[in-house]
Amino acid sequence: MAHLSLKKYQQTTVSNAGEASPYRLVAMLFQKLLDNIATAKGAISQKDYAKKGEQISNAIAIVGVLEGSLDHEKGGEISGNLSALYNFCSEKLFEANTNNDIELLNEVAQIIIPIKSGWDAIPPAEQGKVSF
């Protein structure tokens, strides 16, 4: 039964992503990134290094998508700063993967959480102006 519930959740998540606005897609990426980090921390604690590697690889890919979605022309200095933070996070995620380092994963999460909070605080009237 749990397996069926998981399958249904995954199908719903994929379906929702296909219908989501650009604003919502980015919000989903931030949440999935934090979920991957949390799961990787648990996998390290459980010495499940294959799962840890998969989760961190997914997290690095998401950071790459977030960095690639920045509009440096319109975003100016903010885009540049976010790009630098995303590159830093990718490096720390790679290092955390290599060294099984939960503290580095915590460091990345502490960088991403305020960015996600800022994104989540965008007023609904402005959300439609987001492109991806």
PDB file of all heavy atoms in Angstrom, residues 36 41 44 47 62 87 107 112 130:
ATOM      1  N   ASN A  36      16.234  16.930  -0.898  1.00  0.00           N
ATOM      2  CA  ASN A  36      17.401  16.112  -1.258  1.00  0.00           C
ATOM      3  C   ASN A  36      18.498  16.229  -0.209  1.00  0.00           C
ATOM      4  O   ASN A  36      19.121  15.224   0.158  1.00  0.00           O
ATOM      5  CB  ASN A  36      17.974  16.525  -2.620  1.00  0.00           C
ATOM      6  CG  ASN A  36      17.118  16.111  -3.792  1.00  0.00           C
ATOM      7  OD1 ASN A  36      16.990  16.862  -4.756  1.00  0.00           O
ATOM      8  ND2 ASN A  36      16.530  14.936  -3.760  1.00  0.00           N
ATOM      9  N   LYS A  41      21.466  13.770   4.261  1.00  0.00           N
ATOM     10  CA  LYS A  41      21.950  13.769   5.646  1.00  0.00           C
ATOM     11  C   LYS A  41      21.536  12.482   6.360  1.00  0.00           C
ATOM     12  O   LYS A  41      22.337  11.856   7.052  1.00  0.00           O
ATOM     13  CB  LYS A  41      21.415  15.000   6.395  1.00  0.00           C
ATOM     14  CG  LYS A  41      22.080  16.281   5.957  1.00  0.00           C
ATOM     15  CD  LYS A  41      21.462  17.566   6.451  1.00  0.00           C
ATOM     16  CE  LYS A  41      20.795  17.585   7.761  1.00  0.00           C
ATOM     17  NZ  LYS A  41      20.260  18.884   8.153  1.00  0.00           N
ATOM     18  N   ILE A  44      23.633   9.574   5.075  1.00  0.00           N
ATOM     19  CA  ILE A  44      24.980   9.556   5.665  1.00  0.00           C
ATOM     20  C   ILE A  44      24.912   8.960   7.067  1.00  0.00           C
ATOM     21  O   ILE A  44      25.726   8.102   7.426  1.00  0.00           O
ATOM     22  CB  ILE A  44      25.606  10.964   5.697  1.00  0.00           C
ATOM     23  CG1 ILE A  44      25.949  11.427   4.272  1.00  0.00           C
ATOM     24  CG2 ILE A  44      26.869  10.985   6.566  1.00  0.00           C
ATOM     25  CD1 ILE A  44      26.355  12.893   4.170  1.00  0.00           C
ATOM     26  N   LYS A  47      24.667   5.390   6.896  1.00  0.00           N
ATOM     27  CA  LYS A  47      25.756   4.798   6.104  1.00  0.00           C
ATOM     28  C   LYS A  47      25.257   4.183   4.790  1.00  0.00           C
ATOM     29  O   LYS A  47      25.803   3.208   4.296  1.00  0.00           O
ATOM     30  CB  LYS A  47      26.554   3.793   6.924  1.00  0.00           C
ATOM     31  CG  LYS A  47      27.211   4.417   8.145  1.00  0.00           C
ATOM     32  CD  LYS A  47      28.128   3.465   8.840  1.00  0.00           C
ATOM     33  CE  LYS A  47      28.781   3.981  10.078  1.00  0.00           C
ATOM     34  NZ  LYS A  47      28.898   5.361  10.355  1.00  0.00           N
ATOM     35  N   ILE A  62      19.834  20.328  -9.374  1.00  0.00           N
ATOM     36  CA  ILE A  62      18.833  21.378  -9.124  1.00  0.00           C
ATOM     37  C   ILE A  62      19.506  22.729  -8.982  1.00  0.00           C
ATOM     38  O   ILE A  62      19.035  23.731  -9.537  1.00  0.00           O
ATOM     39  CB  ILE A  62      17.975  21.036  -7.888  1.00  0.00           C
ATOM     40  CG1 ILE A  62      17.071  19.842  -8.198  1.00  0.00           C
ATOM     41  CG2 ILE A  62      17.141  22.255  -7.449  1.00  0.00           C
ATOM     42  CD1 ILE A  62      16.347  19.283  -6.984  1.00  0.00           C
ATOM     43  N   ASN A  87      27.008  28.649  -7.202  1.00  0.00           N
ATOM     44  CA  ASN A  87      28.283  27.985  -7.484  1.00  0.00           C
ATOM     45  C   ASN A  87      28.949  27.522  -6.196  1.00  0.00           C
ATOM     46  O   ASN A  87      29.492  26.410  -6.131  1.00  0.00           O
ATOM     47  CB  ASN A  87      29.212  28.905  -8.276  1.00  0.00           C
ATOM     48  CG  ASN A  87      28.800  29.020  -9.723  1.00  0.00           C
ATOM     49  OD1 ASN A  87      28.398  28.050 -10.348  1.00  0.00           O
ATOM     50  ND2 ASN A  87      28.898  30.216 -10.269  1.00  0.00           N
ATOM     51  N   GLU A 107      25.362  23.619   5.937  1.00  0.00           N
ATOM     52  CA  GLU A 107      25.798  24.934   5.464  1.00  0.00           C
ATOM     53  C   GLU A 107      25.057  25.318   4.179  1.00  0.00           C
ATOM     54  O   GLU A 107      24.583  26.450   4.040  1.00  0.00           O
ATOM     55  CB  GLU A 107      27.309  24.901   5.216  1.00  0.00           C
ATOM     56  CG  GLU A 107      27.912  26.234   4.854  1.00  0.00           C
ATOM     57  CD  GLU A 107      29.427  26.179   4.702  1.00  0.00           C
ATOM     58  OE1 GLU A 107      30.074  25.251   5.224  1.00  0.00           O
ATOM     59  OE2 GLU A 107      29.964  27.090   4.046  1.00  0.00           O
ATOM     60  N   ILE A 112      20.418  28.203   1.289  1.00  0.00           N
ATOM     61  CA  ILE A 112      19.238  28.077   0.433  1.00  0.00           C
ATOM     62  C   ILE A 112      17.958  28.513   1.135  1.00  0.00           C
ATOM     63  O   ILE A 112      17.084  29.127   0.518  1.00  0.00           O
ATOM     64  CB  ILE A 112      19.104  26.628  -0.096  1.00  0.00           C
ATOM     65  CG1 ILE A 112      20.310  26.260  -0.975  1.00  0.00           C
ATOM     66  CG2 ILE A 112      17.789  26.418  -0.838  1.00  0.00           C
ATOM     67  CD1 ILE A 112      20.498  27.127  -2.205  1.00  0.00           C
ATOM     68  N   VAL A 130       7.385  36.311 -13.376  1.00  0.00           N
ATOM     69  CA  VAL A 130       8.546  35.423 -13.321  1.00  0.00           C
ATOM     70  C   VAL A 130       8.615  34.605 -14.601  1.00  0.00           C
ATOM     71  O   VAL A 130       7.603  34.091 -15.068  1.00  0.00           O
ATOM     72  CB  VAL A 130       8.448  34.480 -12.102  1.00  0.00           C
ATOM     73  CG1 VAL A 130       9.546  33.448 -12.122  1.00  0.00           C
ATOM     74  CG2 VAL A 130       8.485  35.280 -10.818  1.00  0.00           C
TER      75      VAL A 130
END
